[in-house]
Amino acid sequence: MDKFLIRGGNPLKGTIEIGGAKNSALPCLAATLLTAETVTLHNVPYVKDLITQRRLLEDLGATVLTPELRTHRVTAANIDTFEAPYELVKTMRASVLALGPLLARFGKAKVSLPGGCAIGTRPIDLHLMAFERLGATVSLESGDVVARAPKGRLEGSQIDFEKVTVTGTENVMMAASLARGRTIIRNAAMEPEIEDLAELLKKMGAQISGAGTPEIEIIGVDELGGAEHTIIPDRIETGTFIVAAAITGGELEIAHCRPDHLAAVISKLSDVGVEIEKKNDSTLKVRVSGNGLKAADVITEPHPKFPTDMQAQYMALMTRSEGTSKIVETIFENRFMHASEMIRMGADIHINGNTAIVRGPRKLTGAPVIASDLRASASLVLAALCAEGETLIDRVYHIDRGYERIVRKLRSIGADIERVTEDSAVAEAV
Ligand code: UD1
């Protein structure tokens, strides 16, 4: 299994370019299943989850061409199976995003029920409730969710989500685009990735309004067509590099990003002493202010509030900040697994239920640690970059799921990081 070997202490300096948003590219690729015509997506990040999503589309019968590394040209004209198998779903929960498009276009879909994952049980009951509201029958057969549209086509309806769900909102938007009549989604997720998916669907001919607000209206159409779309920049990669500059006392220019997509993160990091200057609409300049870093509390909440996907990275920063911070995780249970690894590196963190108390600043020292999920891996890389001595991070396949060429990118701005692998060819490729 690949590991990262990091020798901490180098301030990161230079320019970094942000890639396309993984969490937008995944639903946009799923949306290509809604039409027999070709959909071309640009700025698709070169990360493991997208390779898995491509495999899923090909397994279903779609043709996926990549004329350039980050361009995917998908033609789902000859879909001959309607099933996302367990092998794929267990490695990537976002495979459930195939459910909405398959059900809407073909009237049937089968997706393995995702099991527990490292950040807690992540049910899809709200997706299934919504499909039933759209007229589907849903049953559980040998661990698979089987959904059918008895009348051949879904019927528009009103869907009130009792909890904000990102992929749930996306699944319904896609399904309702081909349903008969009008669908209203209440308490919809407002993440930028929802708006990006809506933009693509509209280019394909869907009638959607209100994406990015808590109420989305979709008027179903009979058919969707081909389109060309560029995926938005990854706001979590952006936030991770802001923290990387701050935690190493460096100075970074972060290009090709959308600062407006991470306003809550920028505001919180500015409060704790990170100087974030907006050079233009897509470039940030980041360094720590002369007064150093100060602790501040944070609560993770759905967009536009502070994202759960930045909680682990923020915790790493708080270990190096003056004072006590309280970090409350409200989205996922068990999302503090990085804390015990940071404690091994010398951090002072106490966990009580969904609350972490971090006392800083503490000098971190390198240690062997284990990555438990995607964002936890990123937080351990950040901690290692500012720690004294060597850190060996195991199970970095998690980080490969969502950070494009992280080793190369970090080395280009002065980090002392290398991938330790038994297969040097793989190390070259990622
Ligand atoms: C998406 C993101 C993930 C991010 C998360 C929260 C993708 C591929 N993944 O995940 O990176 O961390 O949003 O911003 O975009 N829930 C239910 N029943 C459901 C669905 C969700 O109870 O049917 C609960 C979840 O357990 C969780 C909360 O709702 O507590 C939010 O989950 P959701 O927004 O659906 O997360 P994902 O879409 O899986």
Side-chain angles (χ1 to χ4, degrees):
M1 235 178 280
D2 287 9
K3 301 178 176 65
F4 286 169
L5 179 63
I6 299 174
R7 293 175 199 91
N10 293 0
L12 302 188
K13 293 206 164 117
T15 301
I16 213 81
E17 282 182 8
I18 298 302
K22 167 183 89 74
N23 286 350
S24 186
L26 287 169
C28 286
L29 272 180
T32 64
L33 292 168
L34 286 162
T35 176
E37 291 182 15
T38 301
V39 176
T40 303
L41 297 175
H42 302 288
N43 206 28
V44 175
Y46 180 56
V47 296
K48 190 77 200 312
D49 270 9
L50 268 306
I51 296 169
T52 310
Q53 189 76 333
R54 176 193 177 144
R55 216 190 104 197
L56 171 61
L57 294 177
E58 288 175 334
D59 280 3
L60 295 171
T63 309
V64 186
L65 301 177
T66 45
E68 285 168 43
L69 185 64
R70 294 175 187 82
T71 296
H72 282 44
R73 190 163 287 156
V74 188
T75 312
N78 299 311
I79 299 301
D80 47 18
T81 56
F82 307 93
E83 180 179 348
Y86 186 59
E87 287 72 50
L88 290 181
V89 181
K90 78 173 182 213
T91 57
M92 190 187 64
R93 282 188 81 266
S95 324
V96 300
L97 285 163
L99 207 45
L102 288 178
L103 185 58
R105 182 162 155 222
F106 302 102
K108 55 187 167 185
K110 186 161 137 182
V111 172
S112 255
L113 197 59
C117 74
I119 57 175
T121 50
R122 292 174 72 179
I124 57 163
D125 56 318
L126 299 174
H127 302 227
L128 304 184
M129 169 283 288
F131 292 139
E132 282 177 340
R133 295 279 305 165
L134 294 173
T137 58
V138 178
S139 56
L140 187 64
E141 296 171 15
S142 317
D144 295 322
V145 172
V146 181
R148 287 190 187 83
K151 297 176 194 157
R153 190 170 174 192
L154 297 172
E155 304 273 350
S157 181
Q158 181 173 317
I159 292 163
D160 294 270
F161 280 121
E162 65 184 51
K163 203 169 177 185
V164 174
T165 160
V166 179
T167 42
T169 302
E170 290 163 349
N171 240 337
V172 173
M173 268 196 332
M174 292 189 281
S177 292
L178 283 181
R180 190 178 293 114
R182 174 173 179 258
T183 296
I184 297 283
I185 308 175
R186 294 236 166 93
N187 198 25
M190 295 188 278
E191 270 67 1
E193 293 77 19
I194 302 280
E195 282 185 75
D196 202 31
L197 174 64
E199 281 310 308
L200 168 65
L201 291 170
K202 283 195 264 183
K203 288 177 189 168
M204 293 168 67
Q207 291 185 27
I208 301 177
S209 55
T213 76
E215 187 167 307
I216 302 176
E217 182 189 60
I218 303 134
I219 311 287
V221 295
D222 292 344
E223 229 176 48
L224 293 169
E228 189 158 352
H229 182 70
T230 300
I231 303 293
I232 54 170
D234 196 306
R235 65 197 163 97
I236 306 301
E237 188 191 18
T238 308
T240 304
F241 276 107
I242 297 178
V243 175
I247 207 166
T248 61
E251 191 166 333
L252 285 183
E253 191 161 291
I254 302 178
H256 293 183
C257 64
R258 280 283 299 264
D260 55 319
H261 286 169
L262 64 158
V265 171
I266 290 176
S267 156
K268 180 58 69 178
L269 293 175
S270 303
D271 287 353
V272 304
V274 188
E275 268 180 21
I276 305 171
E277 183 200 334
K278 199 169 137 189
K279 282 191 75 180
N280 55 46
D281 284 349
S282 64
T283 311
L284 293 171
K285 204 162 176 160
V286 183
R287 64 190 175 111
V288 174
S289 82
N291 299 330
L293 295 164
K294 298 261 173 294
D297 299 345
V298 85
I299 302 178
T300 64
E301 285 175 275
H303 195 77
K305 299 204 172 144
F306 194 93
T308 173
D309 281 353
M310 277 300 297
Q311 178 258 107
Q313 300 91 315
Y314 185 79
M315 185 181 288
L317 190 67
M318 286 302 96
T319 67
R320 305 287 294 148
S321 306
E322 177 83 40
T324 300
S325 51
K326 185 163 95 175
I327 301 175
V328 182
E329 171 59 59
T330 73
I331 309 292
F332 293 115
E333 52 184 291
N334 289 346
R335 208 175 191 179
F336 284 142
M337 264 140 48
H338 40 281
S340 51
E341 303 303 299
M342 288 180 197
I343 291 167
R344 301 189 63 248
M345 298 175 73
D348 181 349
I349 305 170
H350 290 270
I351 306 287
N352 186 4
N354 69 347
T355 302
I357 304 291
V358 186
R359 289 188 185 85
R362 295 291 296 231
K363 194 176 102 189
L364 301 184
T365 44
V369 292
I370 296 180
S372 54
D373 69 60
L374 173 57
R375 306 305 171 186
S377 325
S379 74
L380 295 178
V381 170
L382 294 169
L385 287 172
C386 70
E388 194 178 283
E390 279 187 4
T391 299
L392 191 63
I393 307 181
D394 200 353
R395 301 199 187 159
V396 294
Y397 58 85
H398 288 293
I399 206 161
D400 294 334
R401 285 188 40 220
Y403 286 87
E404 186 175 296
R405 297 188 158 161
I406 183 80
V407 171
R408 278 193 201 188
K409 278 192 174 178
L410 284 170
R411 285 173 77 99
S412 76
I413 48 175
D416 186 344
I417 175 171
E418 62 188 280
R419 181 181 286 263
V420 183
T421 172
E422 276 132 49
D423 180 355
S424 54
V426 176
E428 228 356 78
V430 289

